[in-house]
Amino acid sequence: MASSLSDAEAPAPAQAARHAKPLSFVVLSLIPKLVLRAPRSGAVFGALVMLALLGPILAEENLLKFGWGLVLARHGIDATEGTLGLSMVLGVIASRGLVRNPRRRREPKDVEDDLARAVSLLPAQANASAGLVRLGDKRVLFSDCGQGFIMYARRGRSLVALFDPVAPKHLWAPLVDKFIAEARRSRSRPVFYQVSPDFLPIVVEMRLQALKLGEQAVVDLSRFTLAGGDWLKLRRSINRAERDGLCFEMLAADAVPPVLDELQTVSDSWLSAHQAAEKGFSLGTFDRAYIASGPVALIRLDGRIVAFASLMTASSSGDAFIDLMRHVPGVHRGMMDLLFVKIMETLKAEGFATLNLGMAPLAGLSGNRRAPVWNHVARQIFEHGERFYNFRGVRAFKEKFDPDWQPRYLVVTGQGLPVLSLLDVTLLIGGGLKGLTRR
């Protein structure tokens, strides 16, 4: 089996002047130089630059080299000196993309009516994750018939749509076409984030470019059980948690408001311990109205709430989605195992068919030598990028529950380098540059 790029394949330093390095090695070699300058500021800046570096790799290597040659020539830089030229141009692009203040447009006066219309369509949709429209941080583009919509947000010069269109499949193509037309009218780049394999025929028909982002974990609740030897370790974990006094509770939406103060305390404790800021767009945030819009699962210890997860359950197919998860650090090793298992058992008893555990970023990318350069670099980051994000830990935790792993993609238009689109998506989710400077 062909492996991903390894240290053994990299040319020795003495040979670098005589042999051109593969582009993926050039990019990877830049990351540690940017990171190891200072303990905190170096890590922050390194993480941001790494994200900027990922964008150009989203194209095939031959096209990438050709594109960079044109850019370098335009800037009067000798394209034959690949490493120096690439780093200089990437630095310019990254700095411009990170510090540019996007144009602000006034929100439409009927934004609340649009949100109410979108929410009214959720029970007819197959995927409960469409409930993220409730956050209110996204705009809504409706189909001409009003029976479906695309939720999206603007960042920089990108119009970023989240997930597949929230509509019956026969409306997807006209909705996507309408969204692309809207982006072009506003002189923006249309971007589709975390779309499913079902979206790929549209990618082909409309000559878009799809790049794998990772895999989404979906548990089939109909076959979920802790019986059998394969589940012994997980059974021991939750049994120990219950013996030590942890108790599970599922609150319906109307029972959530009285405990919002306690939930806020847990959330603040989690954010403080992780030195993290609230995210957004594709991730839930602690907004009181948003949290109270659906059921919430709790873990209590001596009557005090120490962990919770908000759930979305409105769907036509019996799908549920775990959204915001927060816990008080250091309470119990088995606390989150207990929370997840009890959620699954409760939803199964209530007749739900599937539970969406969310994405494992950069997981499951092919290491075949014919795969795009993006795959090889992303696999290296997945394996060795723990300083920036717990890629392997997220995948390992969700793997405990034996999910079906479903690929998810980033889709962009044209054949150019999507570095700015990737930067805009990253800043959109992270809450801007300020949000990214906190973990």
Side-chain angles (χ1 to χ4, degrees):
M1 176 181 293
S3 62
S4 60
L5 299 176
S6 66
D7 294 337
E9 295 172 315
Q15 298 173 323
R18 299 191 303 270
H19 301 285
K21 293 183 180 181
L23 183 58
S24 51
F25 280 103
V26 172
V27 174
L28 286 175
S29 68
L30 295 175
I31 295 174
K33 297 176 184 178
L34 293 167
V35 175
L36 300 177
R37 296 291 185 186
R40 180 176 176 81
S41 61
V44 169
F45 183 71
L48 295 176
V49 175
M50 181 190 73
L51 292 170
L53 293 174
L54 294 182
I57 303 163
L58 297 178
E60 292 289 346
E61 188 162 4
N62 290 337
L63 174 61
L64 184 58
K65 289 179 178 178
F66 176 73
W68 277 120
L70 294 178
V71 174
L72 292 171
R74 183 178 178 182
H75 284 77
I77 301 172
D78 185 5
T80 61
E81 190 61 31
T83 302
L84 177 59
L86 184 59
S87 2
M88 291 174 64
V89 175
L90 281 176
V92 171
I93 293 176
S95 61
R96 288 179 180 175
L98 292 173
V99 303
R100 182 185 64 213
N101 292 321
R103 297 177 182 176
R104 294 181 177 270
R105 288 191 171 189
R106 296 177 59 187
E107 291 292 328
K109 295 180 180 179
D110 59 350
V111 62
E112 292 184 3
D113 293 338
D114 284 350
L115 179 57
R117 285 179 61 196
V119 169
S120 70
L121 296 176
L122 295 180
Q125 308 309 317
N127 298 316
S129 57
L132 277 167
V133 72
R134 295 178 184 270
L135 268 176
D137 62 348
K138 291 172 279 291
R139 302 180 187 183
V140 181
L141 178 70
F142 289 96
S143 62
D144 291 341
C145 65
Q147 297 305 304
F149 64 88
I150 286 177
M151 50 181 158
Y152 69 97
R154 181 185 302 278
R155 180 74 202 190
R157 295 187 180 276
S158 296
L159 230 57
V160 185
L162 180 62
F163 303 147
D164 296 337
V166 184
K169 285 189 178 179
H170 70 275
L171 295 179
W172 284 19
L175 251 177
V176 169
D177 190 57
K178 186 175 183 180
F179 178 77
I180 293 175
E182 172 64 23
R184 288 175 176 167
R185 275 194 296 270
S186 62
R187 297 182 179 180
S188 302
R189 294 177 293 268
V191 182
F192 301 87
Y193 181 69
Q194 279 198 43
V195 297
S196 73
D198 292 339
F199 193 83
L200 296 184
I202 293 178
V203 173
V204 175
E205 291 172 7
M206 297 193 178
R207 297 184 179 180
L208 306 174
Q209 180 184 184
L211 304 137
K212 189 172 181 181
L213 286 171
E215 295 184 325
Q216 182 173 273
V218 179
V219 176
D220 182 351
L221 295 176
S222 66
R223 59 181 177 82
F224 176 76
T225 175
L226 290 185
D230 292 341
W231 298 93
L232 178 60
K233 187 175 180 179
L234 190 57
R235 283 201 307 273
R236 286 177 175 172
S237 176
I238 63 174
N239 288 341
R240 176 65 181 271
E242 290 180 318
R243 286 198 306 269
D244 291 343
L246 297 180
C247 299
F248 173 83
E249 183 179 358
M250 180 75 83
L251 299 181
D254 57 5
V256 173
V259 300
L260 281 173
D261 287 342
E262 285 189 82
L263 299 181
Q264 179 82 65
T265 300
V266 173
S267 179
D268 291 346
S269 175
W270 187 89
L271 290 171
S272 177
H274 289 79
Q275 298 184 336
E278 290 281 14
K279 306 304 181 185
F281 187 63
S282 63
L283 302 170
T285 62
F286 194 94
D287 176 85
R288 287 177 171 248
Y290 176 70
I291 296 296
S293 66
V296 174
L298 308 175
I299 296 292
R300 294 183 184 269
L301 180 62
D302 298 328
R304 179 173 64 99
I305 298 175
V306 292
F308 72 89
S310 63
L311 303 174
M312 297 179 186
T313 55
S315 78
S316 61
S317 62
D319 180 51
F321 174 60
I322 293 184
D323 184 22
L324 187 67
M325 294 172 287
R326 299 282 160 86
H327 63 88
V328 177
V331 173
H332 196 286
R333 290 183 61 184
M335 181 167 60
M336 299 309 288
D337 288 344
L338 177 64
L339 179 63
F340 272 62
V341 167
K342 291 300 183 181
I343 287 174
M344 293 173 196
E345 291 179 343
T346 301
L347 292 176
K348 180 179 180 179
E350 293 177 357
F352 284 87
T354 55
L355 176 63
N356 182 349
L357 303 182
M359 275 262 293
L362 304 186
L365 275 71
S366 170
N368 188 288
R369 62 183 179 182
R370 294 185 180 274
V373 175
W374 158 251
N375 283 41
H376 294 289
V377 175
R379 280 171 60 86
Q380 292 294 322
I381 295 171
F382 180 84
E383 294 293 334
H384 307 294
E386 296 298 298
R387 181 169 182 176
F388 304 107
Y389 183 83
N390 188 19
F391 295 104
R392 288 184 293 176
V394 169
R395 168 82 185 205
F397 178 78
K398 295 177 180 181
E399 185 65 38
K400 290 182 183 181
F401 308 103
D402 191 28
D404 296 322
W405 291 102
Q406 303 174 357
R408 289 296 181 267
Y409 301 90
L410 174 74
V411 173
V412 295
T413 56
Q415 299 300 315
L417 307 176
V419 58
L420 296 179
S421 296
L422 185 62
L423 268 172
D424 285 338
V425 172
T426 303
L427 292 169
L428 183 61
I429 296 171
L433 181 58
K434 184 178 179 180
L436 282 179
T437 58
R438 302 184 68 186
R439 198 166 163 178

